[in-house]
Amino acid sequence: MRAKIGILTVSDRAYRGVYEDRGGPAIHEYMNEALTNEWEPVAKVVPDELDAIQAALIELVDERDCSLVVTTGGTGPALRDITPEATEAVCGKMMPGFGELMRQVSLQYVPTAILSRQTAGVRGKALIVNLPGKPSAIRDCLDAVMPAIPYCIDLIEGACLTTDERRIVAFRPKA
């Protein structure tokens, strides 16, 4: 069965077409490099509005059957940055370790990583992971958390993800 992965860009400017979405394509490229299983991207762009972000997350998980949803944008301290709040509102369980690790890794590159509010949570049989908007930061953060993502999705009974071990070694306990 082909896994579905939601790619949600949260950006007022990208939504209006004023700014080229670079975060969504960076996530797509990363998944193409990291995953060996067949997968289908389900991409959306929404404005920095709580209702729009929540509705998109719910649609991607509940209606489009995505086992993984990766967001980009809206994780900083700016007044309109509300992706973590939208994620928390639609998730039954929060997974704070993802955000903790992403900030720790990002601090190796920029001191402003402490301003980032990335998080992750579980909605039903899907993992939702919030990433920053900058493509290089997306790659750094995914490199850090991707080893845990396939097993997390196994635990919540989502679609099986397999990684190219030359690129990312996913952790799965030995039987």
Side-chain angles (χ1 to χ4, degrees):
M1 179 202 274
R2 178 183 293 219
K4 290 184 181 178
I5 298 176
I7 300 172
L8 180 62
T9 299
V10 179
S11 167
D12 288 330
R13 294 180 298 157
Y15 180 75
R16 290 192 317 262
V18 175
Y19 173 83
E20 178 188 357
D21 174 18
R22 294 184 5 235
I27 292 168
H28 188 182
E29 179 181 325
Y30 184 93
M31 294 299 170
N32 274 338
E33 292 172 11
L35 297 176
T36 56
N37 58 284
E38 287 189 34
W39 70 283
E40 176 184 335
V42 184
K44 292 185 71 74
V45 179
V46 297
D48 289 282
E49 295 172 6
L50 192 64
D51 291 344
I53 301 165
Q54 288 176 341
L57 292 171
I58 291 168
E59 175 191 340
L60 290 168
V61 174
D62 297 1
E63 297 170 26
R64 303 294 299 271
D65 297 319
C66 294
S67 293
L68 174 63
V69 176
V70 185
T71 73
T72 176
T75 60
L79 294 178
R80 291 192 54 83
D81 288 340
I82 53 170
T83 303
E85 287 78 8
T87 299
E88 287 184 41
V90 303
C91 286
K93 295 178 182 174
M94 295 309 296
M95 305 294 292
F98 281 86
E100 293 164 6
L101 179 57
M102 289 188 279
R103 278 184 291 284
Q104 181 183 17
V105 166
S106 296
L107 278 168
Q108 297 172 24
Y109 303 101
V110 292
T112 55
I114 61 171
L115 301 177
S116 185
R117 300 179 312 116
Q118 292 109 318
T119 193
V122 173
R123 178 180 178 85
K125 295 182 178 183
L127 174 65
I128 300 171
V129 179
N130 299 155
L131 298 174
K134 186 177 175 187
S136 62
I138 288 169
R139 183 165 291 276
D140 295 336
C141 289
L142 280 173
D143 278 346
V145 298
M146 194 63 178
I149 287 176
Y151 184 52
C152 180
I153 294 173
D154 290 350
L155 290 171
I156 59 176
E157 302 176 11
C160 182
L161 298 182
T162 55
T163 58
D164 180 344
E165 293 197 358
R166 296 169 297 178
R167 176 74 179 86
I168 293 289
V169 177
F171 171 82
R172 283 192 166 96
K174 305 271 187 249

